Amino acid sequence: MASPCSAPPTPVPCDDRARPRAGSRRSTSTSVYLSRRSAGMFSKDAGMLFRKNLKVFRQIILQDSRVFKKVWTRHSKSPISYESGRIYFENYRCCFSSIPSRPQHLYQLPKSSKLEKIEDVLLCQSPLDKVLPRTSDQAPSLLALTAHNWLYRLSTKTGEQLQKVCLSSRYKFRYLGWDVPQETFYIKSVQNKQSPTVRQAGLDNNAMIYLAVFQVFPLEIVAVLEISKRVFGSTVLDVTLSQGVLVVSHSNKTVKLYSFENIVDKFMTRRLVLGEQCQWSGISGTVGESPFGIPVNIHINECPPVLYELPCLDNYMQIGGHPWHVIFTPNHKKHRGTYHICLLKDGTLAHNGIQDMQCCSLESDWIYFHPDESGRIIHVGPSKINVLKIVKSQECLSKFAVVSDFSITAHRDHISSAQNSVTSSGRMVRRRFHQLDDDPEKETFRVVEYEDELDLLAVVEVTLRDEKGRANVGLHDNQSGVLMKTVELVESWDVTYTHELFFDQDTIVHIAQEKNNLFSCHVYKSTNERMD
C-alpha cells in the first residue's frame, strides 16, 4: 500500500512510453523494447525516418507541377525483363539500371552456348538485420537457372559470378519459384513423360516431377524430392511449393495441400551440405559439383497426411486474408465465372462470399489477395475494380463477411445502344450480338500494379482512339481508391499483344510485344514540368 505522502506518478510522454528508463521499477523488458523498435514506434528510429521520407517523396511525386515524361526507349528481338530497378535484355546477358534519370548500362555478360542459356531467374535481396559469412552475400544477387542444370548466383551490379551449383545430370530442371520470399526457394523440373516403349519394358518408375529446395543467406540445400504417381495418385498434374505447403494439382480438378516440414522430418534419408564429400549409392563426389550434382535425399514411400483438399475449376486457388481464407471456383460448369471466398479452417462460405462480375468479355476477370498483406482482395473486371475486405459478420460473430472497401470504375458512356433500329423506309433491323464489355472502343482496365513504398495503385486504362490503343496510367490511393494523378503513355497499346507495366517510385516501365516478334521497353521518369 502506497504512503499517503508519496508523490503522484509523473506522466510519461507518448513517444517515450515504450523506452526503458534507467532505475525505473516498471521499466519495459528488453524484448518488448526491441520488438517495438523493430516496428518503428520511436520517432528517431531508422524505420520511422524511412517511412517519413517515403511520405514526403509520395507528396512530391503527386504534385501538380510534376509529370511523368518518357526518357528512354530500347527495342529487342528477344523478350525483355524487369526486376527491381534492373532491365534485362538478350536473355539476361545485357543489364541496364532504371534508377538514374536515364537508364544506364551496367554490364554485358559474354556470349554463351545453348547449354548455358538462362531458363529462369529470381532476384535475391540480402537481409539488413544480420551479417553474412561472406561479403558478397550481403549484396543483391540474381539466381539464374541454366539449360544444363546449373544454378548461378550473379551480382546484380556487375554480373560477376558469385557462386555456382551443379543440380543434376539426370533430371531436367526448368523453373524457379519462391517458397518463402527471400528465405526459401525451389527449382522444379519438367514433367517426366516416358514413352509407351519404356513403359512396356517395365522401366516406368512413376516419377512425375522433381523439386530441389534451397535456403538463401547463405545458399544451402534443404532437400531434393520426387513427386511420383505411385505415392500421390495417378491423376497428378503439377506441383508447387508456397509458404511451407506442398501444393499438388490433379487432373480431376482437385488440389491437395501437404506440410513440407512434415515431409522433410519423416522422409529425409540424409542431410546434404554443398561442397562436402559424399558417398551415395556407391558413387563418391562433392555435393553441388559436376558430375555428382545433388542426389535425391527425400524418398516418400507413402502418401503424407493431407492438410486440405479442394475441388476447384482449372486447379485455381489462392490462400490469404485475416484469418486465412481461400479463393476458388467450384468444379462445376454452373460456377464458371464466379469466385467463392471460404474460411480455410472449415470451408464455410463467407457472407457475400460469391463474387461475380457478370461481365461479357473476351478475357475473364481476375481476383487475388492484395500484395500489401492487408488481407484485402482485389477483383479486376473490364470496367470495374473492386477492393474487398474480410470482416466479422454482424449476424454471427463466428462467421465472416466480404464487404466492399472501395471501387474504381472506368469512364464510360452508360447509355446502352438500342438493340433494334428502324430504317428510313420503316424496316426493323435487329442487332444479332451485344457489344463486349472489353470492346476496344471502350475504356478497359488492363493492368493493376501496386507500389508498396508509395502505397499507390497504378491502374492501366486502354481505349481505342484514331485506330490505335491509347493507355492512361491512373495513380490511385491504396487506402481509399481516390485518383491522385493520371499519366498518359505516349506509345500505343496494341491489345492483341502482351504488355507489362511496372511502377517503381519515380519510374514507370512499359514492356510491350510488337509485330514481327519485336519487343520494346519504354521508361518514364517523374520530372518537374516547370523546370523542363
Side-chain angles (χ1 to χ4, degrees), residues 225-476:
L225 65 153
E226 69 174 23
I227 305 299
S228 68
K229 293 184 177 180
R230 178 180 57 83
V231 173
F232 292 94
S234 60
T235 58
V236 171
L237 191 65
D238 198 5
V239 64
T240 188
L241 194 62
S242 178
Q243 301 296 327
V245 176
L246 189 70
V247 183
V248 181
S249 303
H250 294 260
S251 57
N252 59 358
K253 310 297 183 184
T254 301
V255 177
K256 297 181 181 180
L257 309 184
Y258 304 88
S259 169
F260 183 69
E261 182 181 1
N262 178 60
I263 292 174
V264 172
D265 292 341
K266 187 174 181 179
F267 300 106
M268 177 177 284
T269 57
R270 181 176 176 180
R271 293 195 175 274
L272 300 173
V273 179
L274 294 176
E276 286 193 358
Q277 290 292 320
C278 180
Q279 184 83 15
W280 199 276
S281 300
I283 302 176
S284 299
T286 303
V287 179
E289 293 187 6
S290 180
F292 190 76
I294 305 174
V296 176
N297 65 335
I298 289 185
H299 294 276
I300 308 175
N301 49 34
E302 62 180 2
C303 189
V306 178
L307 295 179
Y308 195 78
E309 182 175 349
L310 187 68
C312 51
L313 197 66
D314 300 328
N315 291 321
Y316 175 87
M317 65 174 295
Q318 288 195 41
I319 297 176
H322 310 302
W324 293 109
H325 277 69
V326 58
I327 302 175
F328 70 104
T329 299
N331 184 22
H332 196 283
K333 61 181 181 180
K334 70 177 183 179
H335 295 297
R336 183 176 292 275
T338 67
Y339 298 98
H340 292 223
I341 304 171
C342 298
L343 185 64
L344 182 63
K345 180 180 179 180
D346 56 12
T348 303
L349 180 68
H351 179 68
N352 194 34
I354 301 178
Q355 295 294 314
D356 186 359
M357 277 287 183
Q358 296 182 347
C359 54
C360 180
S361 57
L362 292 176
E363 297 183 8
S364 62
D365 52 317
W366 68 96
I367 190 170
Y368 57 97
F369 284 100
H370 202 308
D372 67 355
E373 298 184 355
S374 63
R376 295 182 297 174
I377 299 170
I378 299 180
H379 190 184
V380 185
S383 62
K384 193 173 184 180
I385 300 173
N386 292 328
V387 177
L388 312 168
K389 59 183 179 180
I390 302 172
V391 299
K392 282 279 189 180
S393 175
Q394 294 181 352
E395 300 176 357
C396 180
L397 295 179
S398 62
K399 295 185 178 181
F400 296 88
V402 176
V403 299
S404 175
D405 194 14
F406 62 82
S407 296
I408 301 173
T409 305
H411 303 290
R412 291 186 172 186
D413 183 4
H414 295 286
I415 301 176
S416 59
S417 301
Q419 299 301 310
N420 302 323
S421 58
V422 181
T423 64
S424 58
S425 62
R427 184 170 61 91
M428 179 74 71
V429 178
R430 178 173 297 176
R431 294 185 59 182
R432 301 178 63 180
F433 60 88
H434 297 280
Q435 192 175 30
L436 295 174
D437 290 318
D438 58 352
D439 188 278
E441 295 182 358
K442 293 183 177 181
E443 187 176 84
T444 305
F445 294 131
R446 297 291 177 179
V447 177
V448 177
E449 174 78 2
Y450 174 58
E451 214 300 326
D452 57 341
E453 293 179 309
L454 302 183
D455 201 31
L456 291 173
L457 287 174
V459 178
V460 179
E461 306 167 351
V462 180
T463 310
L464 187 66
R465 296 200 301 266
D466 301 328
E467 299 183 353
K468 290 185 179 181
R470 296 298 179 183
N472 289 332
V473 183
L475 304 184
H476 297 257

